[in-house]
Amino acid sequence: MSLRRKDLLGLEDLSRKEIDRILDTAERMRGIVDGPVKKLPALRGKAVVTLFFEPSTRTRNSFELAAKYLGADTVSVAAQASSVQKGETLLDTARNLEAMGIDAVVIRHSQSGAPHLLARALSASVINAGDGIHEHPTQALLDLFTIRRHKGRLEGLKVVIVGDIWHSRVARSNIFGLSKYGAEIWVTGPATLLPPEIEALGVRATDRLEEALEGADVVNVLRIQLERQAGGYFPSLREYSRFWGITREKLALCREDVLVLHPGPMNRGVEITSEVAESDRSVVLDQVRNGVAVRMAVLYLLLGGGIAVG
Ligand code: CP
């Protein structure tokens, strides 16, 4: 069983059937993550490199653990400690790593499209671990997986994405993924952080948080990305928190069994209160665990895992 593609660059160009295959495989991988012996020989003899030009805790480490749990060898390249600092280009860096015999590159880069550039140049598989404000496909896959596990379906759910929609690759990938399942997707945040053309992606957009939250099944709270903002999108963090922060009181507008997601890292007290983050409606740490399973599935399916799983 495999995906009939070399790379995973985004959810926009994945079919629903391909996403189903990843999520179904992740279900079996989650059993391995939860089990007593987290080791399979499925990718023995394969080598995976993580090449991160931006900070990461969840994505990089979960890709590395995912590869190790499947028996692959891993190397981690932090751009700050590499010859990029001496002026080597992204393409030269990747070509040199490929010359060492790697089978997959997991790349995070501040420039939208950087993984696509590598995918065209390399024979190795390229996996997008977040490119600029474009896509973060494995984050959306783990979000879909988490929602499906808790709700039993994706079809027809009202999913609200709250916050900095403009700069969010997580929002874009979630929109591409969820729309393939017929979810009712709402995006909400300050008007300055809602792209004018966003409704062309088939979502409802409003700067009235309460309208969006009404009857929601899922609330996906985005991190305020101060590093991508030149400033001036909202007056202050305190103001953002007051109007857009997800509190227990605002959550009361949603369905009683609402799920609260956050991709992390959380700015507690800004976009989400600790009370909500720690509540029984929050599945934030379950998302992280599911991230390992989803990334195992992606590596397994792209690299043609040699043995049956599950
Ligand atoms: N959600 C996410 O991408 O987290 P990291 O930046 O820690 O990888």
Side-chain angles (χ1 to χ4, degrees), residues 52 55-60 108 129 136 139 170 263-265 295:
F52 276 55
S56 169
T57 296
R58 281 145 290 269
T59 312
R60 185 168 63 75
R108 170 170 289 186
H136 191 346
Q139 178 66 47
V170 174
R295 287 166 181 133

Side-chain angles (χ1 to χ4, degrees), residues 32-33 38-42 64-72 292 296:
I32 293 160
V33 176
K38 292 186 263 295
K39 202 71 172 176
L40 275 185
E64 285 176 24
L65 284 172
K68 286 183 204 294
Y69 291 169
L70 291 172
V292 180
M296 287 171 78

Side-chain angles (χ1 to χ4, degrees), residues 151 157-161 184 186 209-220 251-259:
K151 296 287 184 192
L157 294 177
K158 180 175 180 180
V159 180
V160 183
I161 307 174
E184 180 189 338
W186 287 65
L209 177 67
E210 285 73 14
E211 181 191 11
L213 292 182
E214 190 72 49
D217 296 287
V218 177
V219 180
N220 197 345
L251 218 52
L253 294 165
C254 306
R255 286 175 56 96
E256 211 172 310
D257 59 352
V258 66
L259 283 187

